[in-house]
Amino acid sequence: MLRFTDFSDFCDLSEGEIKSISSGANVPYVEACAIAHEAEDCPESSREVLKLMQKHLERVEKNADGESSRKVHDAINSFASTHKFT
């Protein structure tokens, strides 16, 4: 049986990054990993993934949950620091 860490290790993302992509795109974790994997070397895809993560952040911040917001911000910053956008 596959574990969450198997997916995160495959696409080299943190749990927070995968959850943010999954929630922003409204897809299962496996599909979020596939989306992120496609974005690894493609600036256009990386920007689209970042938009999905920001969409998730907007929903979290509407609920005024500071801790969850911080975690999503951390995930976005991590993704942005490891992917190409130009």
Side-chain angles (χ1 to χ4, degrees):
M1 173 166 250
L2 293 173
R3 297 169 295 158
F4 187 86
T5 55
D6 296 325
F7 297 117
S8 62
D9 290 346
F10 170 74
C11 59
D12 200 27
L13 296 175
S14 70
E15 181 177 333
E17 289 170 292
I18 294 170
K19 287 182 176 182
S20 292
I21 295 166
S22 172
S23 181
N26 198 28
V27 297
Y29 295 146
V30 175
E31 193 169 337
C33 288
I35 291 169
H37 184 69
E38 181 180 318
E40 280 184 359
D41 296 316
C42 179
E44 186 175 305
S45 294
S46 291
R47 289 190 295 273
E48 291 301 317
V49 170
L50 194 56
K51 287 178 188 176
L52 293 172
M53 295 174 84
Q54 289 171 328
K55 183 178 176 182
H56 173 61
L57 177 62
E58 289 171 6
R59 281 191 293 234
V60 167
E61 289 185 338
K62 281 183 182 178
N63 294 325
D65 183 352
E67 179 63 21
S68 293
S69 176
R70 184 192 58 76
K71 288 179 181 179
V72 177
H73 275 281
D74 290 346
I76 290 171
N77 290 335
S78 178
F79 183 85
S81 71
T82 59
H83 288 76
K84 298 176 186 175
F85 294 96
T86 58

